[in-house]
Amino acid sequence: MTTTTTPTTAQAITIQYDHLKAFDASAQTPQNQALIDCVGRAFGSSPDCLGLIAVQGVPNFVNQRQRLLRLAHALANLPKSELETCERADTLYSVGWSHGREQMAEGRPDTSKGSYYANPWTDSLVDVLCQREPEKATYWKEQEKLHPECYADNIWPSEVALPMFRQAFMELGQLMGETGQLLTAVCDAYCKQEKGIDLGLQKTLTQSMNAKGRLLHYFSPVPEDSGEEKKDDTAGWCGWHNDHVSIRRGTVSSKMPFHRYDPSLNRLFPPHFRSFTGLSHMPAPGMFLDENGNQMENPDPEHAGLWIQARSGTLFKVGLPTHCVAFQIGETSQIQSGGVLQATPHAVQPPRNGQGVTRESFAVFLEPEFEEPLNVPPGKTVDDCQGTDIKLPPTVVPLRKRWKAGQKWGDFHHVTVSGFTAD
C-alpha cells in the first residue's frame, strides 16, 4: 500500500570513485580528508545522518546495471515451471528464486516483489572454505548440510531460458562489492580519527567470501481494497527495517522485516539474513518500467523509491542518481564501531496511482563470515552503539535485545532472524 505521510526530500551525499580508489589513510591530504568528512556526514551519529552515501564514476557500472535490471524483468516473467527449478525450499528460499515466501507483519503473504539470491563472489562458498582450510573440509561440508540457508551453492536459470543472466549478476555484484571494499578503508579512517577506534572493516570484508546479491522485481501495485483498514501507511513495496550486514550496496534497498513462509510445512520462516545485519549494503538505483516493459522515468519522484528514517525520527525521501552506486551502513558496523557508524531504518515506496508500473532493483550485502567474532570496542556497551532514546519503527528490534558479548557474526545473524519470527 502507498502512504499518505509526506517525507522531507533529500539527496544522497556523493563522492567520486577516482578519489575513493586513490584514498590513502596515511596521507593527510585535503582530498582524503574530504572523503573522511563525507563518510562522517553520511554514516555518523548526528541526528539527521541518513546512513547512505553514493559513489559516482564507477567504471562500467551504468552499462552493467542496465543489463542486469533488464534481465530482472525477464526473470520475473519466465514460466512458473522454469522459476520453480530455481527454488530451494531447504534454504528457506534464501538461494535462487523467491516469491510469496515472506509474510508481512499483518500476516499477509508478501507478493509485491520477487527476489533472486546468489553469492556474487563464488558459486560455492563451501568449496572456497575447504580450499582455504583443507584441514576443516569435513566441518564445512557438515555445516552446509546443517545450515543450507547459509552455505548452499548458487543455482541459476538455464542459459536457454535466460541467456547471460549468471554472468550479468556476478559481474555487477563483484563490481559493486569491490567498490564497497574501497569505501570501507574510509570508514576505518573516520572511526580512527573520530574516536580512536581501530574498526578493521576493510580487512574483514576484503577477506570474507560471504556476501549475498539480491535482484528484485517489484510487481505493479495492486489497487487497495477501500474496505481494508490500514495498519501501517508507510509499509509500501518494502517495509521498514535495518540492515544487519556490515555494508549494503546496490540498486535500491530491498530488505524487509517479514517472515518467510513455506506452505508445504505450514510454518513461518525468518527473512533472508543478509537483509538485516551485515557491515554494508550497496543498492543500484532502481529502474522503472511501464506495463509494456519499456523503461520510463520515476512516475512519482517525490514519493516512489527509497525512504529513510534518520536518528531524529524525521522521514526522508532520498534521491539516488541512476549513474551512482549507493552504500548503506549496517548494524554489524554499528556494533563494531561502538556507535560511531549508525545504521538507519529504511523502506521502499511504490508510486501513488502506479498501476502498470514495475521496478527493478539490485542490492548486494557485504558480510563477515559466519564465525567472525562480533564485539564492541573496549570500554563500550551495546547502549553506546544504539542509545536508549533512539527512535525506531516498531518493526526494528533494538540491538540490546539481539546482541550480547561473545557472539560470533552468525549468532547475531540467527538471533536477528528469530526476532522477526512469529511467537
Side-chain angles (χ1 to χ4, degrees), residues 75-96:
L75 171 74
N77 286 280
L78 288 176
K80 182 180 179 182
S81 58
E82 180 68 31
L83 290 172
E84 287 176 345
T85 68
C86 300
E87 292 183 332
R88 282 201 57 173
D90 63 323
T91 70
L92 313 186
Y93 300 94
S94 63
V95 173

Side-chain angles (χ1 to χ4, degrees), residues 32-51:
N32 286 343
Q33 186 59 50
L35 284 176
I36 293 172
D37 292 343
C38 284
V39 162
R41 290 177 12 236
F43 295 159
S45 57
S46 296
D48 288 329
C49 286
L50 298 179

Side-chain angles (χ1 to χ4, degrees), residues 147 149-150 244 273 370 409-419:
H147 304 291
E149 71 279 5
C150 301
H244 71 276
F273 303 151
F370 290 100
W409 188 80
D411 298 328
F412 177 60
H413 171 84
H414 286 292
V415 170
T416 294
V417 169
S418 67

Side-chain angles (χ1 to χ4, degrees), residues 4-212:
T4 56
T5 303
T6 302
T8 300
T9 301
Q11 291 296 319
I13 293 171
T14 302
I15 59 177
Q16 299 298 317
Y17 175 83
D18 288 345
H19 295 176
L20 192 60
K21 190 172 179 62
F23 179 77
D24 181 354
S26 66
Q28 298 181 358
T29 66
Q31 180 173 293
N32 286 343
Q33 186 59 50
L35 284 176
I36 293 172
D37 292 343
C38 284
V39 162
R41 290 177 12 236
F43 295 159
S45 57
S46 296
D48 288 329
C49 286
L50 298 179
L52 176 84
I53 200 166
V55 180
Q56 183 176 1
V58 178
N60 302 316
F61 171 71
V62 173
N63 290 338
Q64 290 189 18
R65 167 188 173 271
Q66 185 82 7
R67 178 178 62 163
L68 182 59
L69 295 192
R70 281 288 188 181
L71 287 170
H73 183 268
L75 171 74
N77 286 280
L78 288 176
K80 182 180 179 182
S81 58
E82 180 68 31
L83 290 172
E84 287 176 345
T85 68
C86 300
E87 292 183 332
R88 282 201 57 173
D90 63 323
T91 70
L92 313 186
Y93 300 94
S94 63
V95 173
W97 175 249
S98 174
H99 179 227
R101 302 298 184 177
E102 289 100 12
Q103 194 155 328
M104 303 180 73
E106 306 93 86
R108 294 182 289 109
D110 173 34
T111 57
S112 64
K113 67 183 76 63
S115 303
Y116 204 96
Y117 297 103
N119 185 334
W121 294 133
T122 175
D123 276 328
S124 179
L125 176 60
V126 169
D127 281 356
V128 170
L129 295 173
C130 290
Q131 291 168 13
R132 192 171 67 190
E133 300 178 285
E135 71 281 3
K136 294 180 63 177
T138 300
Y139 172 79
W140 291 124
K141 291 175 182 178
E142 185 64 23
Q143 290 302 300
E144 181 179 14
K145 294 177 182 178
L146 292 173
H147 304 291
E149 71 279 5
C150 301
Y151 293 99
D153 290 353
N154 291 340
I155 56 175
W156 302 103
S158 70
E159 278 293 311
V160 174
L162 201 60
M164 305 298 291
F165 178 71
R166 176 190 176 277
Q167 179 180 343
F169 191 111
M170 298 292 274
E171 287 183 355
L172 181 57
Q174 290 172 17
L175 175 65
M176 292 165 63
E178 290 162 358
T179 306
Q181 289 172 345
L182 295 176
L183 181 61
T184 58
V186 190
C187 294
D188 285 344
Y190 173 73
C191 290
K192 184 68 172 179
Q193 187 177 100
E194 186 75 5
K195 295 291 184 180
I197 292 172
D198 293 316
L199 180 59
L201 185 59
Q202 184 182 42
K203 180 180 178 181
T204 297
L205 293 188
T206 301
Q207 293 178 346
S208 176
M209 293 297 290
N210 187 34
K212 187 66 75 171

